[in-house]
Amino acid sequence: MSSINVVSHVGRDIVQSAQLFRTPEAAVWEYVVNSLQYVDQGVVPHVQVTVDVPGKRITIEDNGSGMDHAGLQHFFTMHGENQQRRTGVPGRGKFGTGKSAAFGIGRSLTVSTTKNGKRQTVEVTRKAIDESDGTSVPVKFIENNVDAKGDSNGTTVVISGISVRLAKEPIVALIERHLSAFQGSPVVTVNGRACEIVRPTASITRVFKPTAAQAALVGDTTLTVKAATAPLEDIHRGVQITISTDNLVAVETAGVDTKEYGKYLFGHIDCPELDNAKYDPVAAYTNDRSMKLNPAHPVVQALIPFIGASLEQVRQELVEAGRQAKADADRKRLKETTDKIQEILNADLKDFRERVEGLGNNVRRRTPLAGEAGGKDEHPTDRVVDTDGEETGRHDGVGGENIDEPTPNPDPKPRPPATPGSNNAGGENASPAGTPDSEGGDKIAPAGSGHSRLRGGLTIDYDHYGADYDRYRWAQDERKIVINLDHPVVKAAKDLPDDETTYRRLIWEIAFTAYAVALADLQFERDPARDSSDATYEIREALRRVWANAGSLYAV
């Protein structure tokens, strides 16, 4: 009975595997990481990469352990298991596709390797691959067991006939990303430039352990999550996942990097269970060096939620800290703005007070009398300072035509008001300035005694009074204007993405309007006889004055 066997076309297998390495950086890293991993004990890895753009060639030279004839044969075995993995050391070499990497970008691969004083140099070309019958691809020996006594162990790989665009910057970037996962201090140079091992500075470090259910799959491992001081480049974001030391197999963000502060997060977890043979043939990570986990793998199904929840917890911590920092910054900027507004308003209030209270004793009657003594009652504050007055007043505040000088009354009690319709000339005293004062040195109380005066300054403050409250509150007894930050208009202005310009200008407008109304209020308190036209005038004039002096606010 005849048998049927599954066979593979080696040439096509090489070409298919090469599709995983379509960029120079991917192909170069495949050989660099081999150089970094396979070194003799006590040797610090040194790898030199030379990118020859005009010659369309890349050379990778290392001081690794090198390969003898048997090792070279194993290297060229498709999908051959890594020899270290055979001894129980998990990690790289699981897919055995490294020898194909050169043919993702070039036409020729040359390998020259020295081990224990013997050198082997071989070459494989794309032409030989295309012409193979599928059973094997010939490897051409250039040097076979050549005496190399005195030479150090190491391997040089040359990729020639490169057909894609060559540039060293992407190669450097990818190498630097992977080097950050290495525990030691390997040295890799690209055209003489040393690749830096970039490890972001952490402002927060948190350690997480899996739940019992998660640990049953991912093992008793530890996840470290860190937050950088600034958003990270793509190559540094996410949790680096290794299988044993220096073997980076994947980077996972669990989608958290798309959220606020997600780009600040990075970390590390070592998870040997990803390489547990009991899950074969399902691989935990892809063989294209894309640094992606396979979501169909049982361990991955527990690992990603563990990583995601941990990243989210740290992200929420950053969000809260950011919110608090922003609130503190907002308060500081708002305080600077209100302090400047307060300075402008108090300067105007001071000037206004000096004009009102420092103009001498000229007075004018705001509310005319009825035309004869004993007529319509005159309000106690109908006599105010008149900047344009021509009457000559006395220091006691009583003067002007048709005003008789009061005769001192031994009875300090004021006379009762006249009965309406009676002939009791004069009624009550026309002004409290004419009230006898038995305790006073002049026997007559000075004008304005007993009335509120514009003393002290105003304070500008802010608070949260709710959306239903007005834009501001005028606390008259405290001489304070309090801006309501919860008012819908104020909140809407604050949320506009225009560097707070609209928000600050709205605060100015509210404060200035409140001041103008408050100033009119203070004057009515001083002189209740004022009418609405006086209030309108004072509000308009106050707004004109303070806006004329508001230019300095643009520097806040």
Side-chain angles (χ1 to χ4, degrees):
M1 182 176 179
S2 63
S3 63
I4 298 177
N5 298 316
V6 176
V7 296
S8 174
H9 192 293
V10 177
R12 293 175 183 173
D13 197 358
I14 293 174
V15 173
Q16 182 66 32
S17 298
Q19 301 307 304
L20 302 175
F21 307 95
R22 299 295 295 170
T23 63
E25 54 268 28
V28 168
W29 175 249
E30 184 64 21
Y31 297 108
V32 169
V33 72
N34 283 335
S35 298
L36 295 176
Q37 273 205 315
Y38 304 126
V39 294
D40 295 325
Q41 188 174 4
V43 174
V44 176
H46 282 69
V47 183
Q48 295 178 331
V49 179
T50 303
V51 181
D52 181 2
V53 177
K56 298 181 180 181
R57 183 173 61 181
I58 296 175
T59 302
I60 303 101
E61 183 178 359
D62 66 44
N63 65 339
S65 56
M67 293 177 283
D68 54 20
H69 192 283
L72 201 58
Q73 176 63 61
H74 186 81
F75 175 79
F76 280 105
T77 300
M78 288 298 297
H79 311 297
E81 184 178 12
N82 180 280
Q83 291 180 339
Q84 287 190 353
R85 290 172 60 86
R86 287 181 178 178
T87 63
V89 178
R92 286 192 47 79
K94 180 173 184 176
F95 303 105
T97 56
K99 71 282 297 173
S100 306
F103 298 102
I105 61 173
R107 302 286 301 178
S108 173
L109 170 65
T110 302
V111 179
S112 181
T113 181
T114 300
K115 186 178 182 67
N116 299 330
K118 296 293 182 178
R119 185 171 64 249
Q120 324 288 328
T121 302
V122 297
E123 180 185 40
V124 179
T125 65
R126 178 60 184 265
K127 180 180 179 182
I129 294 172
D130 293 339
E131 293 178 350
S132 74
D133 60 4
T135 57
S136 64
V137 173
V139 176
K140 178 183 178 182
F141 264 94
I142 299 174
E143 293 180 311
N144 187 3
N145 280 330
V146 173
D147 184 18
K149 290 181 181 178
D151 291 349
S152 300
N153 290 347
T155 300
T156 300
V157 173
V158 179
I159 306 172
S160 304
I162 296 175
S163 58
V164 297
R165 180 179 178 273
L166 282 180
K168 73 173 185 178
E169 288 76 14
I171 297 174
V172 171
L174 185 64
I175 292 174
E176 289 183 341
R177 173 178 185 168
H178 286 277
L179 286 181
S180 64
F182 277 73
Q183 301 302 310
S185 300
V187 178
V188 181
T189 62
V190 178
N191 287 15
R193 170 185 168 180
C195 296
E196 300 179 6
I197 301 177
V198 180
R199 296 187 176 96
T201 302
S203 61
I204 295 176
T205 300
R206 300 289 181 264
V207 177
F208 299 91
K209 297 292 289 185
T211 65
Q214 291 170 336
L217 289 167
V218 303
D220 184 19
T221 186
T222 300
L223 167 62
T224 301
V225 176
K226 300 180 181 181
T229 56
L232 298 171
E233 299 287 340
D234 289 347
I235 62 173
H236 297 303
R237 297 175 197 159
V239 173
Q240 294 180 332
I241 303 168
T242 59
I243 299 176
S244 77
T245 304
D246 296 342
N247 181 30
L248 179 65
V249 298
V251 177
E252 184 59 54
T253 65
V256 177
D257 60 324
T258 62
K259 301 179 181 179
E260 183 182 15
Y261 288 102
K263 293 178 174 60
Y264 286 69
L265 303 178
F266 65 105
H268 172 259
I269 185 171
D270 187 54
C271 187
E273 283 299 307
L274 290 172
D275 219 21
N276 193 322
K278 72 179 182 180
Y279 299 112
D280 289 343
V282 181
Y285 47 93
T286 58
N287 64 347
D288 59 358
R289 309 303 188 258
S290 64
M291 299 289 110
K292 298 295 182 182
L293 293 173
N294 177 13
H297 193 278
V299 175
V300 173
Q301 291 174 354
L303 182 61
I304 291 179
F306 173 45
I307 292 175
S310 303
L311 288 172
E312 179 63 18
Q313 183 174 325
V314 178
R315 189 191 74 84
Q316 288 290 349
E317 189 176 341
L318 291 180
V319 169
E320 181 57 34
R323 184 180 295 117
Q324 184 61 46
K326 185 177 186 300
D328 292 343
D330 288 346
R331 281 192 290 270
K332 180 180 179 182
R333 287 193 295 270
L334 187 57
K335 183 66 168 58
E336 292 173 351
T337 299
T338 55
D339 284 350
K340 194 65 179 177
I341 292 172
Q342 186 172 296
E343 180 182 334
I344 292 172
L345 297 187
N346 279 317
D348 182 79
L349 181 61
K350 180 176 181 294
D351 293 342
F352 177 80
R353 185 168 54 220
E354 290 175 352
R355 287 197 303 273
V356 171
E357 298 182 355
L359 294 174
N361 295 315
N362 286 330
V363 296
R364 62 183 174 89
R365 192 185 308 275
R366 281 213 178 256
T367 305
L369 298 176
E372 59 178 345
K376 181 179 179 181
D377 289 346
E378 180 182 4
H379 196 283
T381 56
D382 279 343
R383 296 183 177 280
V384 297
V385 176
D386 184 358
T387 59
D388 300 321
E390 297 178 352
E391 298 176 288
T392 301
R394 301 196 309 274
H395 77 283
D396 59 10
V398 179
E401 64 178 2
N402 299 326
I403 302 298
D404 296 328
E405 181 174 346
T407 302
N409 186 347
D411 184 0
K413 295 184 292 182
R415 290 180 291 175
T419 302
S422 70
N423 294 322
N424 184 12
E428 68 170 337
N429 290 332
S431 170
T435 301
D437 185 357
S438 60
E439 300 298 323
D442 296 326
K443 302 299 181 183
I444 301 294
S449 175
H451 295 284
S452 176
R453 309 185 72 189
L454 298 173
R455 296 300 182 192
L458 295 174
T459 301
I460 309 298
D461 205 348
Y462 51 90
D463 209 332
H464 296 272
Y465 291 144
D468 295 332
Y469 198 83
D470 199 359
R471 297 191 307 171
Y472 69 90
R473 170 176 169 259
W474 164 232
Q476 182 172 343
D477 56 337
E478 303 176 62
R479 296 294 194 266
K480 180 187 289 187
I481 295 170
V482 185
I483 297 169
N484 178 21
L485 299 181
D486 290 336
H487 190 277
V489 172
V490 177
K491 292 189 71 173
K494 187 175 185 300
D495 293 337
L496 290 176
D498 61 353
D499 197 26
E500 297 191 353
T501 301
T502 301
Y503 177 60
R504 288 165 54 189
R505 289 179 180 176
L506 178 62
I507 296 297
W508 307 343
E509 186 273 323
I510 293 173
F512 289 170
T513 300
Y515 168 72
V517 174
L519 191 60
D521 189 35
L522 288 172
Q523 292 185 73
F524 268 98
E525 178 188 333
R526 176 183 177 86
D527 183 7
R530 298 170 68 85
D531 57 31
S532 60
S533 64
D534 293 325
T536 302
Y537 172 79
E538 295 297 351
I539 291 173
R540 185 172 63 247
E541 279 298 294
L543 288 173
R544 180 191 62 78
R545 292 193 308 270
V546 294
W547 275 113
N549 293 315
S552 59
L553 287 174
Y554 286 85
V556 176

